[in-house]
Amino acid sequence: MSGTNGAGGAGGTRAHRVEAFKDSLRSGELGSLPVLLSLASIWLIFVLLDEKFLSPRNLSNLSVDIVGTGLIAVGVVFVLLLGEIDLSVGSVSGLAAATFAVLNVHHGMAEGLAVLIAVVMGAAIGAVHGFFFAQVGVPAFVVTLAGLLGWNGLMLYILGSSGTVNLDDEGMVAMLTSHYFHDVAVAYGVAALGTAGYFLVSLRDARRRVAAGVPSRTPARIAVRTGALAVVAFAAAFVLNRFQGLPLALLIFIAVLVGLDCVLRRTTYGRMIFALGGGVEAARRAGLGVVWVRISVFMMSGTMAAVGGLFLASRVTSASQASGGGNLLMNAIAAAVIGGTSLFGGRGRVWSALLGVLVIQSIASGVALLGIQAAVQFMITGGVLLVAVVIDSLSRRAQKAHGRV
């Protein structure tokens, strides 16, 4: 009898979970499911067309290629959480790269100091944008569009007639994307540390929620999620170790994502950003520092644009008039949106930048391997972006219908 009850209880629990999942879908709580399905589909298509797509060399190069644009996309996520946009990130990234290159190469300034000046300049530019938006009341679209033009012009002025400044191949900035940890223990160690950290943090959060009397994940769900993360992390470590090992650039990118994810989800400042994205007037009435939060978010966007620009310059070991141009701006914004950050504000995570830029760069990598024209890449990326925005809109409509917005 007890065995029958146990089986019935287990079946009831499973039925409850299935019903909860269906309810989440109906109410627009899709999470990262759409982008994960998109990424899996893209990888499957390209590997069927060319098996080299999943080769250790290509995946290792992919893991480095995503970093520069991904870091810029992280800053864009912060701005999108307010329901705003920053069109200047491409120009700011190019200006930061040019500033570093000229100070270091032409004026002989130490790399560390030149990097610091470039990053601080990015933060200062973000503060200027934020001031005009939050204090003066100029729409963010207009302010950052002016920045797109103005900072690009300043970059061209700084580079001067030469147009291109080559970086030291053995320098600190160049090593950001060229250095690999060849010892296999490093990649596996990072995978183990990340998995263990996720498990312990999730378990602690669940216990706190139980103590507070609010719904929480069961130990079984935490174990399943940890197992899935372990599979992905150790598989990635295995593939990277088959080529040159763990790239320093990827390690830095993951560390930034973990740190900023903690800022958004576990600090008062992060909760203020989500609250402001959910409704400006409600946040103001709650006593939140609306002006300060808005300025700080644009400062974050400018800072991450500068950091991303340095990584992009590191990848090509130069800063030129093309830095920050091309489709960089569109890719950074598209990465944040495709990854699941809402254009309407109030919903998203910094991990959206990783997922979104993986989708975009996977398309670029697959198209390059197949020797297809770049025009096809733009069309595919545009289609994926449109689907992401449609899903975002439908999700928001479903949430309104269920009273969750």
Side-chain angles (χ1 to χ4, degrees):
M1 181 66 69
S2 61
T4 303
N5 291 338
T13 301
R14 285 194 295 270
H16 176 73
R17 290 175 181 172
V18 171
E19 187 59 33
F21 177 71
K22 290 180 179 179
D23 182 64
S24 296
L25 294 181
R26 287 192 295 267
S27 62
E29 301 286 348
L30 300 178
S32 301
L33 181 61
V35 66
L36 290 175
L37 292 177
S38 299
L39 184 61
S41 301
I42 291 168
W43 281 30
L44 178 61
I45 292 172
F46 280 126
V47 77
L48 290 176
L49 294 175
D50 190 337
E51 61 182 13
K52 292 180 181 178
F53 180 81
L54 290 183
S55 67
R57 174 186 290 273
N58 190 60
L59 291 181
S60 180
N61 289 334
L62 179 63
S63 72
V64 178
D65 289 338
I66 66 174
V67 176
T69 304
L71 288 168
I72 299 173
V74 169
V76 173
V77 168
F78 275 76
V79 176
L80 289 178
L81 286 174
L82 296 187
E84 302 297 340
I85 194 71
D86 188 348
L87 300 178
S88 70
V89 290
S91 296
V92 174
S93 71
L95 176 59
T99 300
F100 164 79
V102 170
L103 290 177
N104 175 242
V105 177
H106 288 176
H107 299 284
M109 183 179 291
E111 280 195 281
L113 181 57
V115 166
L116 179 61
I117 291 175
V119 173
V120 170
M121 182 183 63
I125 289 174
V128 171
H129 294 163
F131 172 80
F132 281 104
F133 166 61
Q135 195 69 45
V136 181
V138 182
F141 179 90
V142 177
V143 172
T144 56
L145 178 60
L148 181 153
L149 300 172
W151 306 126
N152 183 66
L154 181 58
M155 179 195 74
L156 298 178
Y157 177 80
I158 289 175
L159 288 173
S161 58
S162 63
T164 300
V165 180
N166 295 318
L167 306 181
D168 180 7
D169 292 341
E170 302 297 326
M172 179 184 71
V173 170
M175 294 289 285
L176 289 175
T177 55
S178 64
H179 181 74
Y180 292 78
F181 296 99
H182 300 294
D183 189 343
V184 296
V186 176
Y188 287 125
V190 171
L193 184 62
T195 302
Y198 174 81
F199 176 75
L200 293 175
V201 170
S202 298
L203 198 61
R204 185 191 64 178
D205 288 348
R207 289 175 177 173
R208 287 182 174 179
R209 293 178 70 86
V210 169
V214 296
S216 64
R217 292 177 184 151
T218 63
R221 287 189 63 188
I222 294 175
V224 170
R225 286 172 171 262
T226 303
L229 176 61
V231 170
V232 173
F234 281 94
F238 173 76
V239 171
L240 293 174
N241 280 332
R242 289 184 62 194
F243 184 56
Q244 296 189 65
L246 176 66
L248 173 62
L250 180 61
L251 180 60
I252 294 174
F253 187 28
I254 293 175
V256 169
L257 289 173
V258 171
L260 292 182
D261 181 64
C262 290
V263 169
L264 274 182
R265 297 197 303 122
R266 301 179 183 278
T267 67
T268 302
Y269 172 68
R271 288 188 287 271
M272 290 169 66
I273 292 176
F274 281 106
L276 192 56
V280 177
E281 189 57 35
R284 182 179 287 110
R285 291 182 179 181
L288 301 184
V290 173
V291 172
W292 174 79
V293 173
R294 283 177 161 178
I295 293 176
S296 67
V297 163
F298 277 92
M299 288 179 66
M300 177 63 73
S301 180
T303 300
M304 296 310 301
V307 174
L310 293 175
F311 274 84
L312 291 172
S314 170
R315 193 63 169 147
V316 296
T317 61
S318 68
S320 69
Q321 294 179 347
S323 296
N327 58 347
L328 176 60
L329 169 62
M330 291 298 101
N331 281 346
I333 296 176
V337 176
I338 290 173
T341 302
S342 175
L343 286 168
F344 302 100
R347 190 173 76 251
R349 298 181 60 180
V350 295
W351 294 100
S352 302
L354 172 61
L355 294 174
V357 78
L358 262 177
V359 169
I360 292 174
Q361 201 58 46
S362 294
I363 295 171
S365 177
V367 167
L369 279 176
L370 296 174
I372 302 175
Q373 294 181 358
V376 177
Q377 173 192 337
F378 297 149
M379 289 187 285
I380 296 175
T381 303
V384 173
L385 176 59
L386 177 60
V387 171
V389 175
V390 169
I391 291 175
D392 181 30
S393 299
L394 294 178
S395 174
R396 182 175 176 83
R397 184 182 302 175
Q399 288 182 342
K400 281 185 176 180
H402 285 72
R404 300 188 180 184
V405 175

